Amino acid sequence: MTVAKGPGPHEKPAQEEPGLAGDFAQGTPGPSIADIAAGYAEKAGLQRNSHGHVDILKSAGGFQGIAESIVPGLVFLIAFMITKDLAASLLASLAAAAVFTVVRLVQRRPLTQALAGTAGVAVSAWLANTTGKAEDFYVLGFYTNSAYIAGMLLSILLKWPIAGLLFGFVRNEGFEWRKDPERLRAYAIGTWVVIVVLALRLVVQVPLYFMGEPGLAALATMRLIMGAPLYILGLWIAWLLTRPAPGQKPETDPQPSKPSSSD
């Protein structure tokens, strides 16, 4: 029988390979539910404030993000009302969207939101330029809203409501809310709130679109009012309606900051 020998007097003990085993041996904690929640919320565009609640303004992109969603359409409307030149108005709108991208480059901030906005403006401009109708600058939003409504309705039918997927992670509930019928119902209601907001856009704006150029000013105005401001309001109402009841699992406060080495 062979007996395993330990390291000799001049030999160094074998070092453990780094990895999960090493982490557990050294007592390194894995990612907590709060860490996972923060990562998921960041990818979804949701932000938490210092009290652990959803920050509606930051979730909408902050003042700069709201401006990025409003200004290009506003520039198009003003330019077209003044010049009646569709091509020039579309170029002005694209230039406004491009300016925000440059601003983000200078600020060294993520370009995702600005590039997505620029792409949306570019497609809208292409549609309007192709048909020669100024009102077609806003038609892309109808298809986008319809797609969101369909996706959210499907999420409710599948019992994976979108509000639960987003807010559940912000509240550090993970997927545990699906095991509680009351929480599942609450998040379904929250999702319905967002659906109503999107449906209202279609109900109000589609008739204005079919009015043609005479309804362009009203259509553009409703697009601005029912854009970011209405979205923020709907998101906030959905957050309030889905708050856990006093007897249910409370929302988790943010993790305390780590003490410094001097402490």
Side-chain angles (χ1 to χ4, degrees):
M1 180 176 66
T2 305
V3 179
K5 297 181 179 181
H10 301 290
E11 295 179 1
K12 294 181 179 180
Q15 296 181 349
E16 294 183 3
E17 292 294 329
L20 291 177
D23 290 341
F24 283 119
Q26 298 173 10
T28 303
S32 65
I33 296 178
D35 296 331
I36 298 174
Y40 189 91
E42 183 179 357
K43 292 179 181 179
L46 293 177
Q47 302 290 333
R48 293 176 59 165
N49 58 25
S50 58
H51 300 291
H53 302 300
V54 65
D55 192 318
I56 301 297
L57 182 59
K58 286 186 178 181
S59 299
F63 290 109
Q64 183 173 337
I66 294 174
E68 289 170 354
S69 65
I70 291 178
V71 171
L74 182 61
V75 168
F76 169 76
L77 174 64
I78 294 174
F80 187 77
M81 291 291 102
I82 294 175
T83 66
K84 296 297 180 181
D85 188 328
L86 179 59
S89 302
L90 294 174
L91 287 175
S93 179
L94 283 169
V99 166
F100 284 112
T101 303
V102 174
V103 169
R104 282 185 175 262
L105 278 173
V106 173
Q107 296 174 333
R108 296 184 178 180
R109 297 180 61 186
L111 298 176
T112 305
Q113 184 170 353
L115 291 177
T118 302
V121 172
V123 173
S124 298
W126 175 79
L127 288 171
N129 188 62
T130 300
T131 63
K133 298 179 179 180
E135 60 269 23
D136 282 345
F137 180 80
Y138 300 99
V139 76
L140 178 63
F142 301 150
Y143 293 105
T144 303
N145 275 266
S146 300
Y148 283 147
I149 291 173
M152 291 186 181
L153 286 174
L154 182 61
S155 74
I156 293 175
L157 291 175
L158 296 177
K159 296 185 177 181
W160 284 91
I162 295 296
L165 294 176
L166 298 180
F167 295 155
F169 275 88
V170 175
R171 290 181 170 125
N172 293 342
E173 292 178 295
F175 295 128
E176 293 298 317
W177 54 269
R178 295 193 71 247
K179 301 176 183 179
D180 186 340
E182 292 186 11
R183 300 297 297 137
L184 181 61
R185 182 166 56 252
Y187 281 128
I189 293 174
T191 305
W192 274 112
V193 170
V194 182
I195 291 175
V196 169
V197 168
L198 300 178
L200 278 175
R201 291 177 177 175
L202 297 178
V203 169
V204 173
Q205 297 173 22
V206 169
L208 295 174
Y209 166 79
F210 283 112
M211 289 176 61
E213 190 173 323
L216 178 63
L219 172 60
T221 302
M222 288 298 101
R223 177 62 63 88
L224 296 176
I225 295 174
M226 305 183 78
L230 188 62
Y231 165 76
I232 292 174
L233 177 61
L235 198 62
W236 180 244
I237 293 174
W239 173 264
L240 293 178
L241 290 177
T242 57
R243 293 185 67 177
Q248 295 174 318
K249 182 180 179 180
E251 297 173 18
T252 306
D253 292 331
Q255 290 181 321
S257 57
K258 296 180 180 180
S260 62
S261 57
S262 59
D263 296 338

